Amino acid sequence: MAEGAATRFHLCALLILFSNTTVLCEIISSSSLWEKELSCNTNNSRAALFVFGDSLYDPGNNNYISKNNTFKANFWPYGESFFTEPTGRFSDGRLIPDFICEYAGLPIIPPYLQPGKHHFVYGANFASGGAGALDETFLGLVVNLNTQLNQFKNVANQLKQQLGEEEASDLLSQSVYMISIGVNDYRSLTRGDSQEQYRSMIIGNLTSVIKAIYKTGGRKFSFVTLPPLGCWPSVKAHNAATKTSRGDLCDKNLAAVVQEHSKAVNEKLEKLEKALERFKYSVFDFHTCFNDRMINPSNYGFKNGDSACCGSGPYRGFGTCGGMRGIKEYELCENASEYLFFDSDHPSEVANQQLAKLMWEGSSSVTGPYNLKSFFEMSETELS
């Protein structure tokens, strides 16, 4: 970032935390030096956004951890619908946290691992494509959840040095903590443990991380149920290539596993709410909302709900999008906004926007017991 842009960025960050005046911030953000994806924060609350998880939320952290392209998306056509160049987001454009930032009046949060000086008063994004709740999930290729937790602790310490204990504690308690994790743990399931034992380990690790964030000051947590993985383009493409029968290509066992996981997480969150003072949580029913779009795509403005825009093979379900993962050949649709899936495992930008809007202001039947808008509007008194 140029020196002038860095100065404007720092000044705007200070205004976020200490001022209710938005006029000066608007002047700064209108500068030609201000990149379009880093619009100035006009949020007058002290709530920042801290993001943990996998490729659903990863803005490009994996760009900086490995030479292996399996879990990277920093090449064309990723980002084609919004960014001037690929950022590492697994979509044609923005992700759910990017839209939540927009709705909350925050700038889009860059990857935590991106080189440069960061000002964390607006939050941080630690998510890593391919990450799981278990350390051994794709070991060495991703940033697992426990490592993301340690990165957050470093940020919390930096905020205390930058702002002082009292201001930092206030910021951390008012902030929102988004977590999307678990998909990759189940997709990499090869061990001999029973599904119940495996699920207990995943949820146990997730619970430990939640408690650690809570101990550091976090109070408002956002979760998503696992998506309908059993009918993902990647799953159906694999089954089409390996099954002799061409009947139902969905994986019913995987479908049942993700449902059981989400049920168990909900039960755990209810217990945490009773056990931890001022602990608040939001769970978005990703599974139901996304499944309905897969079955009835035209109801939501999509022309295709079961195939990817970018990839190869049946349903374009082989993860060859961009030709950088070992196979160069792939197909790319003309208009990604017409597709629910951009690649074999990830939503398009339009789908992400629809899901983010539901997380932001959806009713309790979709996002409950709180939605994210209520979290950002919640006062210290309401949090108590």
Side-chain angles (χ1 to χ4, degrees), residues 23 79 106-107 182 190 225 249-250 276 286 289 301 318 328 338 341:
V23 175
L106 294 165
T190 56
T225 62
L249 294 174
C250 296
L276 303 177
F286 190 110
C289 293
F318 296 137
K328 293 184 177 181
E338 296 178 348
F341 291 91

Side-chain angles (χ1 to χ4, degrees), residues 133-140 144 185 188 191 193 198 201 205:
L134 301 179
D135 290 355
E136 56 265 42
T137 297
F138 300 122
L139 183 65
N144 62 53
D185 296 303
S188 65
R191 61 170 70 204
D193 302 300
Y198 194 67
M201 288 188 291
N205 234 32

Side-chain angles (χ1 to χ4, degrees), residues 24-307:
L24 189 55
C25 199
E26 290 170 358
I27 293 173
I28 294 169
S29 66
S30 67
S31 166
S32 60
L33 294 173
W34 195 270
E35 299 181 30
K36 93 173 183 181
E37 58 264 40
L38 292 177
S39 58
C40 198
N41 185 340
T42 57
N43 176 18
N44 293 328
S45 75
R46 297 194 178 195
L49 184 68
F50 294 95
V51 183
F52 305 79
D54 50 32
S55 56
L56 188 67
Y57 288 174
D58 180 9
N61 280 304
N62 282 8
N63 298 350
Y64 310 102
I65 64 172
S66 170
K67 293 182 179 179
N68 190 306
N69 285 326
T70 302
F71 297 104
K72 289 185 179 181
N74 58 340
F75 41 84
W76 191 87
Y78 289 101
E80 64 171 6
S81 298
F82 181 79
F83 298 99
T84 55
E85 58 185 26
T87 63
R89 288 169 171 83
F90 289 82
S91 181
D92 59 301
R94 289 161 290 182
L95 305 179
I96 290 173
D98 299 325
F99 288 107
I100 297 302
C101 285
E102 176 186 327
Y103 304 149
L106 294 165
I108 287 182
I109 301 173
Y112 170 75
L113 294 179
Q114 180 175 294
K117 188 174 182 180
H118 297 290
H119 303 278
F120 296 113
V121 291
Y122 57 85
N125 190 324
F126 313 101
S128 169
L134 301 179
D135 290 355
E136 56 265 42
T137 297
F138 300 122
L139 183 65
L141 299 175
V142 303
V143 183
N144 62 53
L145 188 59
N146 277 320
T147 302
Q148 294 179 35
L149 170 64
N150 290 331
Q151 293 171 345
F152 165 68
K153 289 179 178 178
N154 291 336
V155 167
N157 289 331
Q158 181 174 328
L159 285 170
K160 290 175 183 177
Q161 294 173 4
Q162 178 183 351
L163 306 175
E165 288 281 346
E166 185 176 348
E167 291 290 346
S169 295
D170 183 47
L171 176 65
L172 292 170
S173 67
Q174 288 297 321
S175 296
V176 176
Y177 299 81
M178 294 181 67
I179 301 176
S180 166
I181 206 75
V183 167
N184 298 299
D185 296 303
Y186 290 108
R187 296 200 66 174
S188 65
L189 174 57
T190 56
R191 61 170 70 204
D193 302 300
S194 71
Q195 288 183 0
E196 184 176 353
Q197 290 174 322
Y198 194 67
R199 182 169 63 248
S200 295
M201 288 188 291
I202 294 170
I203 295 177
N205 234 32
L206 173 59
T207 302
S208 296
V209 170
I210 293 170
K211 288 182 176 179
I213 296 172
Y214 176 88
K215 185 176 181 181
T216 308
R219 294 296 181 266
K220 296 179 283 190
F221 293 80
S222 164
F223 305 91
V224 294
T225 62
L226 295 189
L229 290 178
C231 287
W232 238 226
S234 59
V235 172
K236 290 191 295 183
H238 172 77
N239 289 341
T242 57
K243 285 185 175 181
T244 55
S245 170
R246 290 295 180 265
D248 186 3
L249 294 174
C250 296
D251 186 330
K252 294 181 180 179
N253 180 61
L254 183 57
V257 166
V258 299
Q259 290 279 51
E260 286 298 319
H261 171 88
S262 295
K263 178 182 177 183
V265 169
N266 272 320
E267 292 172 353
K268 176 60 68 173
L269 291 174
E270 290 175 1
K271 292 179 181 178
L272 288 173
E273 185 180 36
K274 295 176 182 178
L276 303 177
E277 184 180 4
R278 300 168 69 206
F279 176 86
K280 309 288 184 183
Y281 71 92
S282 169
V283 177
F284 171 58
D285 191 353
F286 190 110
H287 188 283
T288 298
C289 293
F290 206 85
N291 191 60
D292 195 36
R293 284 164 172 76
M294 291 169 65
I295 297 171
N296 305 297
S298 61
N299 290 352
Y300 302 95
F302 300 106
K303 290 185 177 180
N304 190 303
D306 64 356
S307 298

